Amino acid sequence: APSGGPYPVGHPENPEWVTKSNADALKENEESRFKWAGLQPNFHLLALATLCVFLGSKHGVWIFTEPPETREAAQLLQKEDAYWFPVMGSCVLFGLFLVLKYLGTDFVKMAISAGVVFMCMFGVGTNLDQLIAVVRTKPMKPLFRIPYFDQNMNLVELLGMC
C-alpha cells in the first residue's frame, strides 16, 4: 500500500474524495433532517431505550416482590469447587492440545461453533421465557428438568430454542 499518496479515488486519505464525501454527507443530512429518513434512526433508538428500561424495571419489581418460597435457591461457589479450578483448567488445556494435535483445527472450530450455537439457543429460550413471565407477571410451570445443566425447562423455553 502506498504511504503518503497519491491515493486512488475512494481511499479514506485521498483529500479530494474526503472533501467531496464530507460535502455530500452534509447536503444529505441537511435535506433529510426533518424527514422520516432522518428521524427514523432517532425514533428507533428512543423506542429501544424506553422498552429496555420499562421491561427491566418491570422485571426488577417482579423479582423483588416475588415471595421467597417460590424463588429458586441461589448457586454459590463452594471452597471445594474453587480448589478444582487449576486441575480442571490443566485437564482442559491438555485435552485441547491433544485435539489440536490429532484432530486438527477444523474439528476445534466446528466444536466451538456448535457450543456457541447451543449456548445461544439456551439463551434465547431463557430470555423469551423471562420476557413472557414479565408480561404475564407469573412464571410458567416447568415441564421437565435437565439435571446436568441444573435447568428447569418449560414450554416457552422449548419454543424459544427451536
Side-chain angles (χ1 to χ4, degrees), residues 43-54:
F43 287 144
H44 181 255
L45 289 174
L46 182 65
L48 279 179
T50 305
L51 181 66
C52 288
V53 168
F54 174 74

Side-chain angles (χ1 to χ4, degrees), residues 101-151:
K101 183 161 179 77
Y102 295 112
L103 297 179
T105 57
D106 290 335
F107 180 79
V108 173
K109 289 179 185 177
M110 184 201 57
I112 290 173
S113 297
V116 168
V117 166
F118 281 116
M119 284 188 285
C120 290
M121 285 172 46
F122 275 104
V124 167
T126 302
N127 287 343
L128 185 63
D129 175 47
Q130 290 182 357
L131 179 68
I132 298 295
V134 167
V135 172
R136 291 181 64 221
T137 65
K138 67 178 186 175
M140 301 280 291
K141 293 183 180 167
L143 294 175
F144 60 91
R145 179 172 185 78
I146 301 176
Y148 184 76
F149 295 118
D150 194 28
Q151 176 80 22

Side-chain angles (χ1 to χ4, degrees), residues 59-67 71:
H59 192 246
V61 168
W62 180 63
I63 284 178
F64 290 117
T65 58
E66 182 182 14
R71 293 183 189 163

Side-chain angles (χ1 to χ4, degrees), residues 81 83-94:
D81 297 334
Y83 289 145
W84 279 99
F85 279 168
V87 175
M88 294 301 289
S90 299
C91 291
V92 166
L93 285 175
F94 182 67

